[in-house]
Structures are given as C-alpha cells and as structure tokens.
Amino acid sequence: MNLVLFGPPGSGKGTQSERLVKQYAMTHISTGDALRSAIRQKTETGKKAQTLIEKGELVGDDLVTELLRDIIAPLRSNTDSFLFDGYPRTVTQVSRLNAICDEFRLTQPAVINLHVPEESLILRLTGRRICADCKSTFNVYFKPTRQAGVCDACAGPLTKRVDDSAETTRERLRVYHEQTAPVLGIYGELGALYTIDATGSSDNVFRKIHAIIEENY
Ligand SMILES: [Zn+2]
C-alpha cells in the first residue's frame, strides 16, 4: 500500500505520518527533508539543487523527481509500502509519481487529505507555545498552561514562533491551498482521494484514516 498524505500547516499531518509509519510499517519519504539532506551531503542532486537555490530559483519537478527516485531505489527491495509527504506538489509531479510507481512496481498511491477549517488552523497555529527549556508544547486556546506564559512541566518560559502570526499564517494557508488544489483535483478524478475531517483528537483522526485503509486496501 502506498499513500500520499496531504494536510495544511497545523492539520496534524506530522503526527498522523508517525502513526501510519508505525502501524503499517510504511517507509516515510519527505521530499523536503530529503532535499535538505542531499544538499548537506553534497550528492549530485544536492549540488544541482544548491545551485538553483543560490540563484533564487525554484527546485523544479525534474530535480525533485530525480531525488525521489534516488531515495526509493535502494529501499525498494525491502519494502513495497511508502508514505509520500510533500510530493506530489504539482500536476507534473502527479504523472511523475505515477511513472515511478510503475517503474518500481509499486501500487498507485491513495491520497489522504486532512481537512481542518481555516479558522481552526489559525487558532492552532497562532495559539501554539513552546517551552524554551523542555520543548513541551501548549496552546493558549486548546491546551493552556496553569499559569500564563509558564511551562506546566518545568516552569520554563514559553515562546512563540515568530512566523506564527495570524497574517503570516493566513498567507501560508493561501499558498498551500493554491498549490495543492490542482493536485487534489486530479486524484479526485482518479477516485483515489479521501478527504477526512481532521478537527478532532489525534486518536480520532487516526481512526478515520485506519477505517479508510481497512475498507479500501
Ligand atoms: Zn518546560
């Protein structure tokens, strides 16, 4: 079974990825992480990407696809179950992933799309606080500390990420939706798209994902 997981910032995609990997022994592939690692390790693909980034250009579909192939090739003999994260992000990448699946004899992926209403996402992201000392996370709206600004676990000071302002958050979400809408549209036409309401608890959301997988795969 192969899955593509979609979810805007604040949708809990990271948590659900971890749970899927554990429960179904999937191999998690984040093209963003892989790209950063390729650049650090100065691989052929990494060097090409570095040059583009230095020129202020986007790392295009060809290069990201090349990177994806580099990751899958050595893993394929040990697994036939991948969780794709951050790919495909463009219509071109959808057909590239399709070709990669054929090439490596993998089943075509199903797409799980985590939906959370924008206003909830804004509260989740702007309300987020992290302890400067022990890194525990809180949320002023959903998981407040006993004393404002003070960590419940270690009494350390709470901090807010600078890019979590309401304005920045709205812009990130706008870009996310603009970018992903065409990709989700294609998977919808293919009948491979499962959009789920991801407003509940992490357990609740995972149960929904689990049900889709059990029913269809
Ligand atoms: Zn703390």
Side-chain angles (χ1 to χ4, degrees), residues 2-215:
N2 297 290
L3 292 178
V4 178
L5 192 58
F6 271 97
S11 64
K13 181 166 71 90
T15 309
Q16 298 303 330
S17 295
E18 283 172 21
R19 299 186 71 156
L20 279 164
V21 164
K22 257 196 211 143
Q23 173 94 27
Y24 295 101
M26 304 186 84
T27 302
H28 182 222
I29 298 184
S30 157
T31 43
D33 290 349
L35 187 62
R36 282 184 285 276
S37 146
I39 290 172
R40 264 199 317 274
Q41 293 171 10
K42 299 187 172 18
T43 64
E44 278 312 304
T45 318
K47 281 190 261 182
K48 285 183 210 163
Q50 177 79 40
T51 311
L52 288 170
I53 292 165
E54 277 166 6
K55 284 194 281 186
E57 286 170 29
L58 284 174
V59 178
D61 294 331
D62 288 340
L63 204 52
V64 186
T65 305
E66 200 178 309
L67 181 74
L68 186 64
R69 185 177 279 113
D70 288 351
I71 308 169
I72 294 177
L75 297 173
R76 178 62 183 95
S77 57
N78 296 313
T79 181
D80 58 2
S81 186
F82 290 97
L83 176 66
F84 299 101
D85 182 351
Y87 189 100
R89 270 297 160 83
T90 66
V91 169
T92 307
Q93 289 177 9
V94 174
S95 47
R96 298 287 169 82
L97 180 57
N98 189 309
I100 285 182
C101 286
D102 285 347
E103 180 187 334
F104 288 99
R105 289 175 294 104
L106 294 164
T107 55
Q108 292 296 327
V111 178
I112 308 271
N113 180 32
L114 304 177
H115 175 76
V116 180
E118 173 147 329
E119 287 316 306
S120 303
L121 287 176
I122 301 235
L123 294 181
R124 284 186 186 189
L125 292 164
T126 58
R128 192 160 62 181
R129 299 291 182 274
I130 302 161
C131 172
D133 294 337
C134 75
K135 310 296 171 204
S136 291
T137 58
F138 301 93
N139 187 295
V140 295
Y141 307 109
F142 304 116
K143 192 189 170 191
T145 48
R146 286 187 295 272
Q147 194 186 336
V150 180
C151 175
D152 280 355
C154 77
L158 298 187
T159 57
K160 192 181 163 163
R161 268 176 40 177
V162 272
D163 61 351
D164 281 349
S165 73
E167 198 185 332
T168 320
T169 302
R170 271 182 218 285
E171 178 58 15
R172 275 165 76 197
L173 294 175
R174 190 193 63 74
V175 170
Y176 172 82
H177 288 300
E178 190 178 273
Q179 207 177 41
T180 54
V183 174
L184 293 176
I186 294 178
Y187 282 117
E189 283 168 21
L190 291 171
L193 177 65
Y194 302 90
T195 295
I196 64 170
D197 172 8
T199 34
S201 69
S202 156
D203 284 349
N204 198 344
V205 174
F206 190 69
R207 270 197 293 275
K208 291 181 193 172
I209 297 178
H210 182 76
I212 289 169
I213 293 172
E214 295 301 308
E215 230 172 84

